[in-house]
Amino acid sequence: MPKPNIDLRFNRDYASSKQLKQKARQNIPKFAYDHLIEGCMDEIGLKRNRQVMNSIYFTPQYIQASSSVDTQVTLLGHTYSAPFGIAPIGLQGLMWPNAPIILAKAAYAHNIPYILSTVSSESLEQIAEATHGQAWYQLYNPTELDIRDDILDRLKVMQYKNLVITIDVPTFGFRPRDFHNGLAMPPNLTLKNLYQAAIKPKWSFNTLKHGLPKFKNLTPYMPVGSQKQELTELMNTAIMGGLDFDSLKAIRDNWPGNLIIKGVMSEHDLQQAIKLGCDGVILSNHGARQLDFSESPIMPLTQLQNRYQDKITIMIDSGLRSGADIAGSLALGAQFTFLGRLFMYSVCALGNDGGQHAIAMLKAQLIQIMQQVGAENIEALKGKAFLHHDVNQNRQ
């Protein structure tokens, strides 16, 4: 492991999620941008995630001795340089060519976790090499047990230590933008999509350079021609098998490393994860892409962390887009955080520099918040924020 890159220099023209999102929209085709930003159905869940996040308030303490700030945190046996990582993101290479490698290398340089999605456009073998074995892997339970076991064997060979099982996909999300765009892998070459790509020269040039994106982790298991199915059909028929206690136990029994359950939103599922002997959970509503009327994971976090934080590692994603969101989630009891769209905005906006930029920006924002509230380390953040009793009174 190299010495963590602690350079906090970032492109000051794009110092917020909003600015990165605007630049990303300028750089990538509409069908790719739609897939990146969309939620489920009417996208009420997307708004709710931000509404609740914006209802976190800090109480600063200014009259005290100043001290240096330490953002390091020990998680599942590894000390990371910051309390946030890169969440699993499907179709990364569709949104920006070579995005998985860009983000994985940036995560390794800064010593934060990168989670590779089952439906990423890069293989688990390549990501293991890019991160020197430090990446995590997110698994959708395949419909065929032979495929599941073969993926687990590949992960063991590449010495992955952390396996994340996503449980919130009993069906694929109902996403109107993707339906309208006919999203598939590789992308459908309709006249509309060809035109959208042609007017985004940076994206088109890089796609020609790196090739059309594919589901590289799943390619060995796909029948010829299956990659031209619509994404929804492919996910429902090939990638997502049923998940119950017994199927999760079979994975637990076959996996020697840390096992994390992602998509937990209820006390029942948290208790089941503990009963299974899991090492951690990620409270998540899948970025509001699966269940439109879902609550923000901040809500179960505030209800459950006091009772269960000593029994299992509790992490969170969905709706976070800044260092302030990271600090607020930690102050309310999360032990670690993950962000997805923010990192893709940054890569789509800034290309090869996007991963480093996003990490440096988030670290600088987090440090500023910690200095404002008088938290010299991550543990000291706990209890320094509260959730406003009326989340409808959110700040714009």
Side-chain angles (χ1 to χ4, degrees):
M1 172 65 63
K3 185 177 180 180
N5 183 343
I6 58 172
D7 187 353
L8 296 186
R9 288 179 296 176
F10 53 89
N11 188 328
R12 293 175 182 269
D13 291 333
Y14 305 100
S16 71
S17 173
K18 181 178 179 180
Q19 291 168 325
L20 289 168
K21 182 179 179 181
Q22 291 172 340
K23 183 63 175 177
R25 185 174 189 176
Q26 296 172 11
N27 282 352
I28 66 176
K30 183 178 182 298
F31 62 81
Y33 181 77
D34 282 351
H35 180 70
L36 173 57
I37 67 168
E38 81 171 323
C40 184
M41 295 192 182
D42 293 323
E43 300 186 342
I44 293 168
L46 279 177
K47 297 175 184 176
R48 183 176 290 117
N49 277 354
R50 285 309 311 168
Q51 182 185 57
V52 174
M53 194 66 67
N54 287 343
S55 297
I56 298 174
Y57 288 73
F58 281 96
T59 303
Q61 299 175 4
Y62 295 126
I63 304 177
Q64 58 182 334
S66 60
S67 61
S68 59
V69 167
D70 181 7
T71 63
Q72 290 189 113
V73 60
T74 299
L75 177 73
L76 301 175
H78 183 99
T79 299
Y80 292 103
S81 68
F84 63 85
I86 303 175
I89 307 164
L91 308 188
Q92 286 176 311
L94 173 72
M95 292 174 279
W96 191 260
N98 207 38
I101 294 293
I102 293 171
L103 288 172
K105 287 184 174 180
Y108 178 71
H110 278 266
N111 185 26
I112 67 169
Y114 169 85
I115 308 179
L116 177 68
S117 170
T118 292
V119 290
S120 174
S121 52
E122 192 52 80
S123 72
L124 65 91
E125 288 82 7
Q126 285 296 109
I127 294 299
E129 292 181 10
T131 62
H132 301 268
Q134 295 301 315
W136 300 19
Y137 186 82
Q138 174 269 331
L139 179 70
Y140 291 111
N141 190 35
T143 54
E144 297 183 20
L145 298 184
D146 289 345
I147 295 177
R148 181 198 69 190
D149 292 342
D150 189 67
I151 291 175
L152 293 180
D153 288 342
R154 290 165 60 193
L155 291 169
K156 294 172 190 175
V157 168
M158 300 309 298
Q159 299 183 341
Y160 278 76
K161 300 177 181 66
N162 298 295
L163 178 64
V164 180
I165 308 294
T166 295
I167 63 171
D168 57 7
V169 283
T171 59
F172 193 53
F174 193 98
R175 302 174 190 168
R177 298 174 198 253
D178 282 351
F179 290 141
H180 178 73
N181 293 322
L183 185 61
M185 285 290 277
N188 285 332
L189 299 180
T190 64
L191 287 176
K192 179 177 67 176
N193 288 349
L194 284 171
Y195 171 74
Q196 292 175 5
I199 60 176
K200 304 296 181 181
K202 289 183 180 179
W203 182 93
S204 296
F205 173 80
N206 279 282
T207 296
L208 289 173
K209 178 180 177 182
H210 294 285
L212 287 175
K214 299 178 181 179
F215 290 128
K216 291 187 179 179
N217 285 314
L218 300 171
T219 298
Y221 317 116
M222 287 184 175
V224 175
S226 64
Q227 290 195 22
K228 293 187 180 295
Q229 296 180 50
E230 286 196 1
L231 180 59
T232 301
E233 181 183 354
L234 181 61
M235 291 289 287
N236 281 329
T237 59
I239 296 171
M240 298 184 302
L243 273 174
D244 55 20
F245 188 88
D246 289 338
S247 58
L248 286 169
K249 186 177 185 304
I251 295 173
R252 171 72 282 183
D253 292 343
N254 193 19
W255 179 249
N258 294 317
L259 185 65
I260 300 99
I261 302 297
K262 181 179 184 295
V264 171
M265 288 290 288
S266 68
E267 185 168 15
H268 171 272
D269 285 348
L270 181 57
Q271 291 174 340
Q272 294 294 92
I274 294 171
K275 185 177 178 181
L276 281 161
C278 295
D279 301 279
V281 295
I282 301 177
L283 305 182
S284 170
N285 64 15
H286 212 107
R289 290 166 72 84
Q290 286 297 112
L291 179 63
D292 200 18
F293 284 5
S294 64
E295 64 179 347
S296 161
I298 287 290
M299 305 307 289
L301 172 68
T302 59
Q303 297 159 11
L304 300 175
Q305 59 90 17
N306 280 335
R307 279 177 282 166
Y308 295 99
Q309 63 180 349
D310 293 333
K311 299 178 181 178
I312 195 168
T313 299
I314 299 177
M315 299 165 275
I316 191 171
D317 72 19
S318 300
L320 289 78
R321 65 185 186 192
S322 70
D325 295 340
I326 294 167
S329 300
L330 296 168
L332 291 176
Q335 291 162 273
F336 205 81
T337 65
F338 288 93
L339 299 86
R341 287 186 179 94
L342 181 278
F343 282 102
M344 284 310 305
Y345 293 157
S346 191
V347 171
C348 293
L350 302 175
N352 290 338
D353 296 328
Q356 296 275 359
H357 168 85
I359 296 170
M361 182 186 77
L362 290 171
K363 281 184 177 179
Q365 292 172 344
L366 174 62
I367 288 171
Q368 193 268 344
I369 292 289
M370 293 175 68
Q371 292 171 330
Q372 283 290 124
V373 302
E376 62 183 17
N377 54 45
I378 299 304
E379 184 64 27
L381 272 173
K382 286 185 168 57
K384 289 188 176 293
F386 64 94
L387 192 64
H388 196 282
H389 72 278
D390 183 359
V391 297
N392 290 315
Q393 296 182 14
N394 64 86
R395 297 158 293 176
Q396 301 299 320

